[in-house]
Amino acid sequence: MIEELDFAQASEDDRRGLHEVVAAWAVESSPGREKPPYAASVARWEKRDELGFEPPRFVVARDGGKITGYAQVQVSEAEANAHLAIVTVVVLPEHRRRGIGTALLHAVPSLLNGQTVIESWSVVKGSASEPFAAARGFRVITSMTRQRLDVGEPPEAGELPPGYELVNWFGAAPEEFVEAYVQGLNAIADAPFGETSLDHAHNTVESIRQGEAVSDRWVVLLLHKGEVAGVTVVERNSAVPTVAEQLHTVVLPAHRGKGLGRLIKARMLHDLTGVERVFTRTSSDNEHMLRVNRSLGYIDLYTYMAVQAKTADLQP
Ligand SMILES: CC(C)(COP(=O)(O)OP(=O)(O)OC[C@H]1O[C@@H](n2cnc3c(N)ncnc32)[C@H](O)[C@@H]1OP(=O)(O)O)[C@@H](O)C(=O)NCCC(=O)NCCS
């Protein structure tokens, strides 16, 4: 049985049921890893993500009332991403290969309002999702590398070349720097992300302020003669405060090749009070950023792919 589930209105049993499905997947993808806490799932499912996509809508599969799998769909109000739905399908390991994943995927269009393209950003290389996505007609559009840093003594940041200065903060961006911060983030548009149709570069002061209201972020902003030259952002995990996600890092084209990407990321590691572990993801084609991260102590965990299909092609 496949039916819609509104997470905000769902019973505690159903909320926990959804969490059990995603927790089983998390343990499966990183053997030896502890089950993630329930609060982490709730936090992720109740707020917008860092790209401004709305909290997910769900369809679930049940067996005797118990949730055995779900598809989640996230859409964005930003015009740049109005065509796109980000979808994730997860089925409990003991219920796989019975067509549940396919049935959930086919129910996805009922959750959409006009989005014509579907992307999934969590197809781990070598996992069941790879043949599943291929069997359902998705094509691979990019490949990403997941990395992890166990924070110890932060590395030396190094000297800033003349003409540059750093501004850093935790929480809300100071009013005088918020425009430069937005400009820096939007310069990520030319980072390699394969053939995705996802637009990462539609930040506005308003969208930044909305994000700041629901998440704790550290920012290091690099300025050159008062103009933005680079930026890097880390977000604290709202359920597990010792864990953080290194998000966007950008050095603007005119300032590349001077070691500034490493410098701002190294500088950032001095600011992360209370954080023991940092995760990040980078395009597998972005050799430069992967190398920078490894030089800071990040280790590669696994590769995952983004896949894409047209909504029209999903209709049964
Ligand atoms: C990917 C996933 C959702 C598939 O769910 P499922 O219910 O097993 O999928 P289906 O039974 O509908 O499989 C449909 C087809 O996909 C392919 N497929 C699925 N799993 C496969 C596997 N382990 N090996 C090879 N082919 C597989 C097959 O062609 C299958 O058809 P068949 O069983 O008739 O041969 C499930 O494996 C899962 O939850 N994985 C972890 C979550 C995840 O990685 N999600 C990311 C994708 S958004």
Side-chain angles (χ1 to χ4, degrees):
M1 184 179 82
I2 306 285
E3 61 182 22
E4 283 183 32
L5 182 75
D6 177 355
F7 189 72
Q9 306 291 327
S11 67
E12 183 67 12
D13 274 1
D14 277 351
R15 286 172 158 235
R16 289 197 178 265
L18 274 181
H19 168 68
E20 287 306 320
V21 178
V22 77
W25 179 30
V27 172
E28 168 190 8
S29 338
S30 308
R33 177 179 164 188
E34 274 176 42
K35 215 160 113 171
Y38 172 56
S41 297
V42 174
R44 209 174 47 252
W45 289 334
E46 279 188 333
K47 66 173 193 180
R48 285 185 180 186
D49 72 10
E50 77 275 359
L51 297 174
F53 279 76
E54 300 295 319
R57 304 166 188 175
F58 291 92
V59 282
V60 298
R62 292 183 193 270
D63 183 8
K66 179 182 141 119
I67 294 179
T68 54
Y70 69 81
Q72 73 168 57
V73 174
Q74 284 176 276
V75 299
S76 165
E77 279 172 8
E79 207 181 320
N81 286 321
H83 62 291
L84 181 62
I86 306 286
V87 171
T88 309
V89 183
V90 193
V91 176
L92 280 176
E94 59 275 25
H95 291 268
R96 291 186 189 158
R97 298 304 289 272
R98 297 183 203 163
I100 296 175
T102 301
L104 287 164
L105 193 60
H106 283 156
V108 158
S110 69
L111 299 176
L112 302 180
N113 35 31
Q115 288 79 15
T116 51
V117 178
I118 290 181
E119 291 188 6
S120 173
W121 279 74
S122 41
V123 175
V124 175
K125 202 164 181 53
S127 77
S129 57
E130 212 181 340
F132 173 73
R136 299 284 65 99
F138 284 79
R139 68 185 184 105
V140 174
I141 49 169
T142 193
S143 188
M144 306 286 290
T145 302
R146 186 85 171 138
Q147 296 178 305
R148 186 189 77 214
L149 173 74
D150 290 327
V151 179
E153 191 60 33
E156 276 292 314
E159 285 289 305
L160 266 183
Y164 289 93
E165 63 175 309
L166 291 174
V167 185
N168 56 325
W169 64 82
F170 176 67
E175 204 53 48
E176 58 178 312
F177 297 118
V178 71
E179 290 281 359
Y181 174 37
V182 168
Q183 227 183 312
L185 287 177
N186 286 344
I188 201 144
D190 66 350
F193 278 116
E195 294 172 48
T196 179
S197 65
L198 176 63
D199 187 324
H200 291 74
H202 60 273
N203 300 283
T204 60
V205 172
E206 193 196 0
S207 72
I208 289 298
R209 293 295 186 216
Q210 284 171 354
E212 286 169 345
V214 292
S215 52
D216 288 339
R217 290 177 176 191
W218 288 268
V219 174
V220 173
L221 187 68
L222 175 69
L223 299 174
H224 181 255
K225 298 183 179 159
E227 301 281 318
V228 64
V231 64
T232 188
V233 184
V234 168
E235 181 170 307
R236 193 197 285 278
N237 186 301
S238 54
V240 189
T242 53
V243 172
E245 183 82 21
Q246 165 73 64
L247 300 172
H248 334 279
T249 301
V250 192
V251 174
L252 275 75
H255 305 279
R256 292 183 187 160
K258 300 180 181 174
L260 293 166
R262 184 182 190 282
L263 190 145
I264 56 178
K265 284 187 124 169
R267 180 65 188 74
M268 172 63 91
L269 294 174
H270 291 255
D271 293 353
L272 306 179
T273 313
V275 173
E276 293 167 9
R277 198 163 254 201
V278 185
F279 290 88
T280 194
R281 64 240 188 205
T282 302
S283 166
S284 306
D285 296 332
N286 197 342
E287 249 322 306
H288 177 65
M289 191 55 85
L290 290 170
R291 253 201 329 269
V292 164
N293 291 346
R294 289 179 197 129
S295 83
L296 295 171
Y298 282 87
I299 54 163
D300 293 7
L301 294 177
Y302 54 86
T303 303
Y304 66 96
M305 288 158 295
V307 297
Q308 186 189 74
K310 287 189 187 149
T311 309
D313 295 341
L314 282 189
Q315 308 294 349

